[in-house]
Amino acid sequence: MAAPVLRRFRPRKCWGLTVLDGGFRRRRGSPTGSASCWIREQSSVAQRPLSTAQKPMKCEHKWAAVVGLEIHAQISSNSKLFSGSKVSFAAPPNSLVSFFDASLPGTLPVLNRRCVEAAVMTGLALNCRINKKSLFDRKHYFYADLPAGYQITQQRLPIAADGSLTYGIFVGKKRSHMVTKTVRIKQIQLEQDSGKSLHDDLRSQTLIDLNRAGVGLLEVVLEPDLSCGEEAAIAVRELQLILQALGTSQANMAEGQLRVDANISVHCPGEPLGVRTEVKNLNSFRFLAKAIDYEIQRQINELENGGKILNETRSFDYKLGCTVPMRDKEGKQDYRFMPEPNLPPLVLYDATSLPAGADAQQVINIDHIRDMLPELPSVTRERLVQQYGMLPEHSFTLLNEVGLLQFFQSVMKETRAEPKTVTNWVLNTFLGYLKQQNLAVSESPVTPSALAELLDLLDRKAISSAAAKQVFEELWKGEGKTAAQIVSEKQLELTQDLEALEKLCHSTIEGHSQVVMDIKKGNPRAINKLIGLVRKATLNRADPTVIKDILEKKLTS
């Protein structure tokens, strides 16, 4: 659906969430960190004055939350859904508007083949039933940034339906155990985006930019199978990865290419579902999770204090951390859906129904698109675990950070180091430096080749682990030096003179008789003191493993 017109509101009082007595209680018998998202029985939220005097509602059991999502993904296409206007982010206002986009009389829609193929591919990847015949409808509503007064969408018979999205959520004290969950997909439909309203409070006016009007959208409607903000954010992130892997949408939330509307209600288990509210236009995973969790808690407190949940549209104020009303839905809006008279039914084919001698450029073959499906994120994770022996949570991290998987695979191609070593360096050292300086993988001063060379030096024991970290720190400065040059300049090579090392170990033992006595009395950790002394004497240029072997031989001889 199109983005609503923004309205100005007076500041409202937001509730401050306060966690008392250990915070949220969990269901009896559920493990710590369980994936089930249950809400506290008693609220600790500061209350606002009630406008109604209903009897406070108490739930004998824990409140259950129900969350459904409507996700709008902008289709990766050079032109709009029904016109030849170019699609480009941040173009000058109203510079990408055709006569049809402006809804001038006499203009007709021409369906974009690329958008249809993207919808079919997305439906197949999400296990949907692809409808060989789908219809377009007009949905009427009146916004300043919707010049036609209606949106062309697919209300009655969408292009895809009855799918599923599987995602993994980590639970447990250390969040190391993964639970797989599935959310049903009601339908996927093609529709137009609206324009954009730009509000100038200084001059008390609203300006309209129609560059976005008519851009093709995929609306993915999820069934209300989610129960908290964390689940919703993880499910949407998984969908984003799928869309990016397919190439059907860049799904860049910062550019408005992926927007989420959340429908939220609470009820006591065993009772009918509660009245739902809709939180519109959430464009980050963090805000999505926060908005849903806040709205769940707000509804619980409203009910427990005698209030009434209104069927209304709300927005999330990220500065205040709360949801605020936009408009109520108590009077059901009549969108006056009607068949789009200027577009015939959209007919798709498969291998069995394809007409003989049909021109491939004039028809869309579902089976042909199915054969073009790339490796999906879930398959990629399984491959990484099997091929490199990494933990499942490591495979999730590699995919969740943009460009990190490609970086890891490039390092693996160029180094002889073990996959476990590469994984550790990429996920801990490399990613740690990126996050510390708030950089993307593409902005890293350390290239895959540079890291591969460093890991090769470490693998053949030319340098110690401590020296390798020093080298990486120098590489991060981006001065153009190779790992080998840095090792040579700073004299970080491990000593290869075993005879001199044995003499140094012997003198260390002779000079620290008390430590030797502790070792012989059964304190194996005391040997670390001797190892540290030897390393210090060699300026950290001796392999601690070799030092330990020499010391153990001398102590037992």
Side-chain angles (χ1 to χ4, degrees), residues 109-312:
V110 178
L111 183 59
N112 185 334
R113 179 190 179 96
R114 159 63 185 162
C115 293
V116 176
E117 291 175 337
V120 172
M121 180 173 283
T122 302
L124 292 173
L126 295 175
N127 311 301
C128 292
R129 182 188 77 250
I130 306 299
N131 290 319
K132 293 182 181 179
K133 178 182 177 181
S134 58
L135 304 174
F136 288 97
D137 305 288
R138 288 186 180 182
K139 178 181 180 181
H140 294 82
Y141 51 92
F142 301 98
Y143 289 165
D145 51 20
L146 192 71
Y150 61 84
Q151 175 195 42
I152 300 179
T153 182
Q154 292 188 304
Q155 173 70 16
R156 294 171 296 160
L157 190 57
I159 195 168
D162 303 330
S164 62
L165 173 65
T166 301
Y167 61 96
I169 184 169
F170 287 94
V171 298
K173 288 183 178 179
K174 297 183 179 180
R175 300 188 68 80
S176 57
H177 177 63
M178 188 185 74
V179 175
T180 300
K181 291 196 166 190
T182 300
V183 56
R184 294 170 297 155
I185 295 174
K186 180 181 180 182
Q187 64 188 52
I188 299 176
Q189 60 196 49
L190 283 165
E191 64 182 28
Q192 296 171 296
D193 205 347
S194 65
K196 190 174 183 180
S197 297
L198 306 172
H199 303 288
D200 185 349
D201 292 334
L202 185 63
R203 297 178 177 84
S204 299
Q205 63 183 2
T206 296
L207 305 176
I208 304 299
D209 180 10
L210 294 179
N211 280 349
R212 201 176 66 182
V215 169
L217 295 179
L218 290 175
E219 180 174 359
V220 182
V221 182
L222 304 186
E223 296 284 6
D225 296 337
L226 305 168
S227 56
C228 67
E230 182 186 19
E231 285 187 2
I234 292 174
V236 175
R237 173 56 175 154
E238 184 69 14
L239 176 62
Q240 182 189 50
L241 289 173
I242 291 173
L243 294 172
Q244 290 171 344
L246 296 172
T248 55
S249 174
Q250 295 178 15
N252 185 338
M253 295 186 110
E255 296 184 1
Q257 296 172 352
L258 191 69
R259 309 190 296 271
V260 184
D261 301 336
N263 293 283
I264 306 155
S265 68
V266 298
H267 67 285
C268 286
E271 296 186 5
L273 298 181
V275 177
R276 71 183 183 186
T277 59
E278 183 179 24
V279 183
K280 299 285 288 187
N281 291 329
L282 298 163
N283 60 357
S284 86
F285 300 117
R286 187 161 59 94
F287 294 159
L288 173 62
K290 282 187 174 183
I292 290 173
D293 289 338
Y294 176 88
E295 183 61 19
I296 290 171
Q297 199 62 51
R298 183 193 71 83
Q299 292 186 21
I300 290 173
N301 284 272
E302 191 78 37
L303 294 172
E304 288 186 344
N305 288 275
K308 179 183 178 182
I309 304 302
L310 300 178
N311 182 13
E312 61 183 354

Side-chain angles (χ1 to χ4, degrees), residues 277-463:
T277 59
E278 183 179 24
V279 183
K280 299 285 288 187
N281 291 329
L282 298 163
N283 60 357
S284 86
F285 300 117
R286 187 161 59 94
F287 294 159
L288 173 62
K290 282 187 174 183
I292 290 173
D293 289 338
Y294 176 88
E295 183 61 19
I296 290 171
Q297 199 62 51
R298 183 193 71 83
Q299 292 186 21
I300 290 173
N301 284 272
E302 191 78 37
L303 294 172
E304 288 186 344
N305 288 275
K308 179 183 178 182
I309 304 302
L310 300 178
N311 182 13
E312 61 183 354
T313 299
R314 302 175 71 89
S315 65
F316 181 67
D317 188 323
Y318 70 93
K319 293 181 180 178
L320 299 176
C322 64
T323 62
V324 295
M326 292 177 66
R327 57 182 179 272
D328 69 75
K329 293 183 175 180
E330 292 301 320
K332 185 174 177 61
Q333 186 170 359
D334 182 10
Y335 290 113
R336 294 182 294 126
F337 284 102
M338 62 170 282
E340 169 54 59
N342 295 323
L343 287 170
L346 175 58
V347 179
L348 309 177
Y349 300 90
D350 57 19
T352 59
S353 61
L354 188 66
D359 184 354
Q361 298 299 319
Q362 299 298 321
V363 298
I364 292 179
N365 189 333
I366 299 171
D367 291 328
H368 177 66
I369 295 176
R370 193 193 311 273
D371 294 337
M372 295 170 59
L373 287 175
E375 183 179 75
L376 297 178
S378 58
V379 179
T380 302
R381 294 190 195 100
E382 292 177 6
R383 176 175 58 79
L384 291 172
V385 171
Q386 295 175 1
Q387 183 176 351
Y388 301 116
M390 66 175 61
L391 297 174
E393 53 263 36
H394 291 164
S395 68
F396 270 83
T397 304
L398 284 176
L399 263 72
N400 284 344
E401 298 293 335
V402 177
L404 192 61
L405 176 60
Q406 291 76 14
F407 187 95
F408 169 81
Q409 291 175 329
S410 296
V411 175
M412 284 299 305
K413 290 178 182 178
E414 300 186 43
T415 184
R416 295 189 298 271
E418 291 294 321
K420 185 177 180 180
T421 302
V422 178
T423 302
N424 178 59
W425 272 82
V426 170
L427 295 185
N428 295 327
T429 307
F430 177 72
L431 188 56
Y433 271 72
L434 288 176
K435 290 187 177 296
Q436 186 177 6
Q437 299 188 22
N438 196 26
L439 295 176
V441 175
S442 59
E443 300 171 319
S444 166
V446 177
T447 64
S449 299
L451 181 57
E453 181 188 2
L454 172 60
L455 295 181
D456 280 342
L457 292 173
L458 185 62
D459 183 64
R460 65 172 186 259
K461 300 188 184 302
I463 57 175

